[in-house]
Amino acid sequence: MTARTRKKSSLKYLLPAIPLCVFTLCFFLFPILLMVKYSLHHSLPYGEIERIFTLENYINFFTDIYYIKVLIKSFLLGLAVSVVTIPLGYIVAYALWQSRGLKRKILYICILFPLFTNLVVRLYGWRIILSPAGPISNFLQKTGLAEESVNMLFTWPTIVLGLFSECAPYYILILFSVLTLINPRYIDAAFDLGATRLEAFFKVIWPLSLSGVISGGLIVYIWAFGAFATPTILGNAKHWTLAVHAERQILSLRDWPYGSAFGIIILLFTLLIVFLQTKLLKRKQIYREI
Amino acid sequence: MKKTAVHLQNLTKKFNEVTALDNITLEIFNRDFFFLLGPSGCGKTTLLKIIGGLEFPSEGSISILDKDVTRLRANKRNTSMVFQEWALFPHMSVYDNIAFGLKKRKFDKKTITRKVDELLELLHMAGYQNRMPFELSGGQQQRVAIARSLAIEPEVLLLDEPLSNLDLALRQQMRVELVRLHKEINKTFVYVTHDQTEALSMANRIAVMNMGVVVQLDSPETIYKKPKNEYVAKFIGEANEIKGTIVKPNLFVADSGLQIKVPEQDIPTDSRVLFVVRPEEVHLLNQEEELPENHFRARVDTVSYFGRQLRFYVQLVDTGNIFFIDIFSTQLKADIHPNQEVLIGWKPSQTFCFQG
Ligand SMILES: Nc1ncnc2c1ncn2[C@@H]1O[C@H](COP(=O)(O)OP(=O)(O)OP(=O)(O)O)[C@@H](O)[C@H]1O
Ligand SMILES: [Mg+2]
């Protein structure tokens, strides 16, 4: 095939993508540009906007120690959720990979099932389970492990738990799809050459699945960093992430320019993380060219 | 008396309801180039994995060099396996692949480097230490896989169809090299294949397998010349087959009425048998020569040219049976055309009858 005909046919294949491109342009890129524009305007009391060019929103943000702390806390939340999800999710993904037949089906359903339920409903489920009158608190009291009712809501670990339960299915499925690309013979080969189970894992399977850990972990990180529903429902004001504050600025304080600036800042940091990840992957992935 | 390298006793392997291996007992001698030969799905890989400790038998026992290893895992056995698609670790260089087993054995770095160099030398791959597997051709990956297995100095090297992913020319070259390698390192090789040419040309002993059992265990020559049953005769080499009856201990009568002299065997008279003669044992005869006991007039149907060899399909004039005959082109005195009448024949001693 000559270069020209190949080009032509690849254009032909792009044709069905046009509606999606138009959609993304209208409902994603355009609103973002609009937000960028807003974030560069000056806000007046009572939610009015003065359409002049100014960087004051960004300057205010980065000079306000309160929001810097929120930013750092959002980063830390992302980190905490990743640290919990990456190893625990790995175990589930590995089990899914190694299982066959009925066992695999059951595991698969267990992983997918939570995704069939609305996120807010699931979060209120957590609220019931973890509340002072909930089953866990009751259980602890009955067994005498706790003297009085226990409230696990509105704490950091609870938010991490909530985010973990949200992100884990995505992470597991991404990792699983990478694991299925690994020839299970590699484990046999490693055993055969004298490696123990752990060595076979850490020297062969882990490095080969690293790309899945990184891309899956990234999604977890970004998800938790920009989390909105979970910190609102399972936490209180001191747990709020930048995303919650953006919403507050816009909907409660009616400061569109400042809220938009928050949104853009979240976006920029997310893009930065994605950028760093692609750098990281490129170096690790050369062997994939087979 | 030869020393036993691998001894399998009453080995059975079941995967749920599938019986992959059925009560196999066999002995592989030290320094054998031993072949497991059989069609796809007959349990060759399963047997090899059990020897290597990557699968465990459902019943029976296995010992290697007189040590019972039935319950030992692969990493505790002195065997090493070269996998069908080689299974080189894709994220490691050639050096790291070969050094993988050595690092486990607590050699210092200098020794490891020396050993890797030696192995690459042995397999004509010197200088490839830093290549990644995807930068190697199939044949080169194959050599690295062998080097990686040899690095741990196994008593028994297990090879699972190691040449099946290579093209014909490379395959033939690697066959010669593997035989050389076997001579050089003087260890037991167990080699799995479904390719009879490979088995016949490289083995010193062959176990022919079918559906989880060993059908015949012999030297390549015996397997070819004296197949134990119909299955082996058909699987190894090609054969003309005719159905019929044994009417006298040394006379076979085909259903078409064709009478053939056969070597005397202890098959009861009047039993149904399959008569088999190999295409290269059937000759085109010359009236002036002394004729063998079996000779028949036939008409040439088609002639296929295979380079150094020709294959004729002929039909017997009297009974209509069809035979195919292989003859080296150099042995052919005159041209032979389709429809020409010829005389064909063979010695009774070169034929077999199997009770069906
Ligand atoms: N892990 C397994 N689970 C279930 N059945 C299996 C398993 N491994 C092998 N089998 C079955 O056991 C039989 C023998 O398989 P095996 O892989 O040993 O065949 P083979 O002789 O190596 O064939 P090939 O030449 O195609 O590689 C087959 O019927 C196969 O389906
Ligand atoms: Mg096989």
Side-chain angles (χ1 to χ4, degrees):
Chain A
M1 208 195 278
T2 67
R4 220 167 112 225
T5 57
R6 192 179 298 149
K7 206 168 179 188
K8 235 187 189 163
S9 64
S10 74
L11 277 182
K12 195 170 74 191
Y13 291 126
L14 280 180
L15 222 60
I18 287 178
L20 191 68
C21 290
V22 172
F23 184 88
T24 315
L25 216 65
C26 292
F27 298 106
F28 189 69
L29 219 54
F30 179 66
I32 287 179
L33 289 176
L34 211 61
M35 267 181 72
V36 172
K37 182 171 171 291
Y38 273 128
S39 74
L40 296 171
H41 286 327
H42 177 67
S43 63
L44 300 168
Y46 314 116
E48 275 169 278
I49 297 165
E50 191 182 0
R51 294 173 199 279
I52 53 160
F53 175 79
T54 169
L55 287 173
E56 62 178 18
N57 296 313
Y58 293 95
I59 294 167
N60 287 346
F61 180 88
F62 285 109
T63 50
D64 189 336
I65 191 76
Y66 178 75
Y67 286 123
I68 297 294
K69 273 189 185 156
V70 169
L71 182 64
I72 291 172
K73 272 196 277 183
S74 303
F75 275 130
L76 289 179
L77 183 65
L79 204 64
V81 176
S82 307
V83 164
V84 172
T85 311
I86 286 173
L88 292 181
Y90 200 109
I91 293 170
V92 181
Y94 193 87
L96 186 65
W97 180 43
Q98 291 286 308
S99 61
R100 293 279 171 273
L102 185 68
K103 227 166 109 191
R104 176 178 271 194
K105 275 188 197 125
I106 291 173
L107 210 53
Y108 218 77
I109 289 170
C110 290
I111 294 162
L112 285 180
F113 211 68
L115 299 180
F116 297 165
T117 340
N118 178 283
L119 173 61
V120 176
V121 174
R122 263 185 291 151
L123 286 172
Y124 276 101
W126 278 119
R127 260 179 97 140
I128 293 168
I129 293 172
L130 299 172
S131 79
I136 295 183
S137 174
N138 278 344
F139 175 78
L140 289 178
Q141 276 173 280
K142 274 207 190 102
T143 53
L145 288 169
E147 310 231 311
E148 46 196 70
S149 63
V150 193
N151 189 4
M152 283 158 285
L153 290 175
F154 316 120
T155 62
W156 245 70
T158 301
I159 295 172
V160 174
L161 175 71
L163 284 169
F164 163 72
S165 71
E166 278 166 57
C167 308
Y170 300 105
Y171 171 74
I172 290 166
L173 292 179
I174 289 172
L175 187 56
F176 172 65
S177 69
V178 171
L179 283 171
T180 52
L181 297 177
I182 300 176
N183 186 346
R185 284 273 162 88
Y186 296 149
I187 304 182
D188 279 351
F191 277 154
D192 192 58
L193 295 168
T196 61
R197 229 173 233 287
L198 274 183
E199 283 167 336
F201 176 77
F202 280 110
K203 285 194 179 152
V204 181
I205 302 306
W206 173 256
L208 287 175
S209 63
L210 204 55
S211 65
V213 173
I214 292 173
S215 27
L218 184 80
I219 286 193
V220 173
Y221 191 90
I222 290 172
W223 183 300
F225 174 68
F228 174 76
T230 315
T232 327
I233 295 174
L234 297 182
N236 55 30
K238 71 171 189 272
H239 305 115
W240 285 350
T241 55
L242 209 51
V244 184
H245 281 284
E247 186 248 17
R248 291 265 132 179
Q249 287 295 341
I250 292 172
L251 293 184
S252 306
L253 306 174
R254 300 187 62 198
D255 189 341
W256 276 76
Y258 206 21
S260 302
F262 280 30
I264 298 304
I265 288 165
I266 295 174
L267 186 66
L268 288 179
F269 275 108
T270 308
L271 288 178
L272 182 72
I273 296 165
V274 175
F275 173 75
L276 290 178
Q277 178 246 6
T278 49
K279 285 265 141 181
L280 205 66
L281 265 189
K282 245 187 220 132
R283 266 192 300 139
K284 290 272 176 209
Q285 278 242 289
I286 317 164
Y287 58 83
R288 275 299 178 94
E289 285 169 32
I290 299 173
Chain B
M1 190 85 195
K2 276 190 178 172
K3 227 170 117 188
T4 305
V6 181
H7 196 180
L8 309 176
Q9 277 166 305
N10 305 97
L11 214 64
T12 295
K13 176 71 185 178
K14 291 196 172 97
F15 294 108
N16 302 323
E17 63 289 351
V18 183
T19 306
L21 299 175
D22 192 2
N23 197 15
I24 288 188
T25 297
L26 74 91
E27 217 173 331
I28 299 170
F29 296 120
N30 212 11
R31 296 175 187 172
D32 260 0
F33 203 140
F34 191 93
F35 266 68
L36 292 168
L37 176 64
S40 187
C42 72
K44 307 181 296 288
T45 299
T46 307
L47 186 55
L48 207 63
K49 278 181 150 183
I50 289 181
I51 298 175
L54 294 166
E55 288 278 5
F56 292 102
S58 316
E59 282 159 48
S61 71
I62 159 168
S63 57
I64 294 175
L65 293 174
D66 295 327
K67 189 174 152 225
D68 186 357
V69 296
T70 312
R71 291 283 132 209
L72 278 192
R73 293 179 61 85
N75 50 3
K76 301 270 180 266
R77 287 190 193 183
N78 214 352
T79 58
S80 187
M81 185 145 165
V82 178
F83 292 88
Q84 192 164 348
E85 64 294 18
W86 315 318
L88 291 179
F89 302 128
H91 58 302
M92 294 182 194
S93 65
V94 167
Y95 176 91
D96 287 329
N97 263 286
I98 299 174
F100 189 92
L102 292 172
K103 284 179 185 161
K104 272 296 298 165
R105 273 146 219 247
K106 308 269 185 304
F107 289 113
D108 61 84
K109 220 172 158 216
K110 242 167 123 188
T111 320
I112 294 181
T113 310
R114 185 176 49 83
K115 286 194 175 228
V116 173
D117 290 351
E118 277 171 13
L119 281 163
L120 286 175
E121 191 82 37
L122 182 70
L123 289 152
H124 304 315
M125 288 277 293
Y128 281 85
Q129 278 83 342
N130 295 321
R131 295 273 194 108
M132 297 299 281
F134 68 83
E135 295 172 317
L136 300 176
S137 73
Q140 291 166 336
Q141 290 188 43
Q142 160 76 82
R143 287 159 206 259
V144 176
I146 294 172
R148 181 177 71 172
S149 284
L150 289 180
I152 62 171
E153 295 179 11
E155 283 306 328
V156 183
L157 185 70
L158 309 166
L159 303 118
D160 189 3
E161 307 200 27
L163 306 185
S164 61
N165 291 1
L166 304 178
D167 66 49
L168 184 65
L170 197 53
R171 204 150 62 211
Q172 283 170 336
Q173 183 195 340
M174 283 303 294
R175 282 178 195 163
V176 178
E177 280 191 38
L178 280 172
V179 172
R180 170 188 66 90
L181 191 70
H182 175 251
K183 277 218 185 79
E184 247 172 81
I185 64 174
N186 229 335
K187 290 275 158 64
T188 312
F189 281 26
V190 183
Y191 191 117
V192 157
T193 185
H194 59 254
D195 183 336
Q196 35 145 324
T197 327
E198 216 159 89
L200 292 174
S201 63
M202 295 166 75
N204 62 349
R205 289 205 312 149
I206 301 177
V208 182
M209 291 180 67
N210 184 29
M211 303 197 347
V213 297
V214 172
V215 188
Q216 185 171 5
L217 197 170
D218 265 312
S219 69
E221 209 181 331
T222 318
I223 297 249
Y224 191 78
K225 292 240 169 101
K226 296 201 163 42
K228 226 177 219 165
N229 58 25
E230 184 185 331
Y231 174 80
V232 179
K234 282 185 185 170
F235 189 70
I236 313 278
E238 290 177 288
N240 288 293
E241 298 157 20
I242 306 171
K243 286 201 180 91
T245 323
I246 285 282
V247 294
K248 278 190 241 163
N250 65 349
L251 188 64
F252 166 86
V253 178
D255 297 342
S256 60
L258 179 67
Q259 298 199 354
I260 301 174
K261 290 263 164 49
V262 293
E264 229 169 280
Q265 17 197 337
D266 45 354
I267 297 176
T269 48
D270 290 333
S271 48
R272 296 285 300 162
V273 296
L274 185 79
F275 167 83
V276 169
V277 59
R278 298 219 184 269
E280 70 272 18
E281 297 293 353
V282 184
H283 302 292
L284 286 177
L285 302 173
N286 203 325
Q287 289 289 4
E288 288 94 62
E289 285 173 25
E290 190 190 336
L291 298 177
E293 273 185 277
N294 293 310
H295 57 91
F296 309 96
R297 283 190 307 134
R299 192 174 295 285
V300 176
D301 213 17
T302 54
V303 182
S304 328
Y305 180 69
F306 287 100
R308 63 188 171 136
Q309 169 203 320
L310 293 163
R311 173 164 290 187
F312 298 94
Y313 283 85
V314 302
Q315 186 166 24
L316 298 194
V317 173
D318 295 332
T319 54
N321 293 78
I322 293 178
F323 281 83
F324 61 100
I325 308 172
D326 285 347
I327 291 180
F328 280 116
S329 7
T330 49
Q331 288 173 344
L332 206 61
K333 290 180 189 93
D335 266 1
I336 288 184
H337 314 286
N339 263 328
Q340 187 178 338
E341 207 179 281
V342 292
L343 199 60
I344 65 162
W346 59 85
K347 291 194 197 116
S349 60
Q350 307 297 351
T351 63
F352 328 106
C353 286
F354 299 112
Q355 227 166 332

